């Protein structure tokens, strides 16, 4: 019990299990000091997105959104079932997907597809090791999305 209490105390100040808790309004310098160097930086309208991807085999990408004054607007783990459900087939393009989910774990080209397929590893419903394939149509918008078990983590493939 004492070990659990120490772990809970250590994690409480970091937003849970090693993730720093950051509040809206935090200055960019403080965000960067807490999180380190981002894996990528994107412009999204007037906002700046700082990507913290834990991959390519990782299942989490954290995105910090900064307003034009360099203050934190939001900080969230973006590779979630709920977030994937917000993608608009035929409307969202590569930039929209990149800004919403960060860099893909892999980019593939399949024989049946007229364009690239971006692959994101994630925990479906925070339980199952899964992959979301985002397939782009020839016009650059999302043509379809397909999810399934992560072949690198699927138990039956290891035996």
């Amino acid at each position: 019990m004492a070990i659990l209490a120490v772990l809970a105390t250590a994690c409480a100040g970091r937003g849970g299990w090693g993730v720093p808790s950051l509040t809206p309004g935090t200055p960019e310098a403080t965000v960067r000091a807490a999180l380190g160097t981002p894996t990528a930086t994107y412009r999204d309208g007037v906002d700046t997105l700082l990507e913290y991807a834990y991959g390519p085999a990782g299942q989490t990408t954290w995105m910090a959104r900064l307003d034009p004054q360099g203050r934190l607007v939001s900080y969230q783990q973006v590779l979630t079932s709920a977030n994937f459900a917000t993608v608009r087939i035929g409307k969202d393009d590569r930039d929209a997907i990149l800004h919403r989910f960060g860099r893909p774990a892999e980019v593939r080209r399949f024989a049946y597809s007229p364009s690239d397929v971006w692959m994101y590893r994630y925990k479906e419903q925070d339980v199952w090791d899964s992959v979301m394939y985002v397939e782009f149509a020839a016009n650059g918008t999302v043509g379809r999305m397909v999810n399934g078990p992560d072949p690198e983590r699927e138990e039956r493939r290891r035996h």
Side-chain angles (χ1 to χ4, degrees), residues 130-150:
S130 300
V131 175
M132 180 64 73
Y133 296 96
V134 179
E135 181 180 325
F136 293 96
N139 69 359
T141 63
V142 176
R144 69 180 181 153
M145 295 174 58
V146 177
N147 72 324
D150 186 339

Side-chain angles (χ1 to χ4, degrees), residues 14-93:
R14 296 187 54 85
W17 306 117
V19 177
S21 60
L22 297 169
T23 57
T26 301
E28 180 177 357
T30 304
V31 171
R32 287 178 180 266
L35 301 176
T37 303
T39 52
T41 302
Y42 310 107
R43 296 290 300 165
D44 189 29
V46 296
D47 291 346
T48 300
L49 301 172
L50 304 178
E51 171 197 277
Y52 293 90
Y54 299 96
Q59 297 173 312
T60 59
T61 294
W62 289 82
M63 204 69 85
R65 178 176 291 275
L66 304 171
D67 66 16
Q69 290 74 42
R71 300 256 176 212
L72 185 69
V73 174
S74 63
Y75 176 63
Q76 62 183 351
Q77 201 289 97
V78 295
L79 300 180
T80 66
S81 302
N83 205 17
F84 284 122
T86 65
V87 173
R88 300 169 304 159
I89 305 295
K91 295 188 192 257
D92 286 335
D93 61 11

